[in-house]
Amino acid sequence: MAIEPLEVEKWLREEKGSEGARYHGVADEGVPARQFAEVIGRRLNVPVVSKSREDMADHFGWIGQFFAMDGPASSEWTRKRLNWQPKEPGLLADLDQTHYFAARVASVA
């Protein structure tokens, strides 16, 4: 049985991307973690508070170090190299959809 390629890999082959190159297929550039939290907080009706970089690890545990990093993603090079423009909604617009926050009921057998 063959493993089908991921859609991104298929797209890059079709776009004649360079093997080993790193492409970023993001529509938004450098979205701050604060904006993720604001969308999630609003959708879940919970308060959102700021934390200092020092407090991130205490509050979020091991994943706090990633929230504290300043490593924005950019697709500028990808867009120029592949002559590509995103067509789908941006990250925050997608995250703000109701299906991510719909209540799920687990059944007990």
Side-chain angles (χ1 to χ4, degrees):
M1 173 165 74
I3 298 174
E4 295 296 320
L6 297 172
E7 288 301 311
V8 173
E9 291 173 336
K10 180 180 174 186
W11 170 74
L12 287 172
R13 278 197 307 276
E14 291 169 357
E15 295 295 329
K16 310 228 183 313
S18 300
E19 187 172 336
R22 294 183 181 169
Y23 299 99
H24 292 286
V26 297
D28 303 321
E29 304 267 331
V31 179
R34 172 185 46 82
Q35 291 181 355
F36 289 104
E38 288 170 348
V39 170
I40 294 167
R42 181 173 40 76
R43 283 294 187 168
L44 296 177
N45 198 29
V46 296
V48 175
V49 298
S50 293
K51 295 285 181 187
S52 70
R53 288 182 189 264
E54 295 77 28
D55 292 338
M56 291 263 196
D58 289 339
H59 186 76
F60 292 108
W62 66 270
I63 201 167
Q65 66 184 324
F66 295 103
F67 289 125
M69 291 172 60
D70 186 15
S74 173
S75 63
E76 181 181 357
W77 185 84
T78 301
R79 293 174 195 220
K80 288 178 183 176
R81 175 77 171 92
L82 301 178
N83 193 28
W84 169 74
Q85 291 299 317
K87 297 179 182 124
E88 300 299 322
L91 184 61
L92 294 175
D94 185 50
L95 179 61
D96 202 13
Q97 300 301 305
T98 56
H99 65 270
Y100 288 115
F101 301 96
R104 301 194 191 266
V105 178
S107 62
V108 177

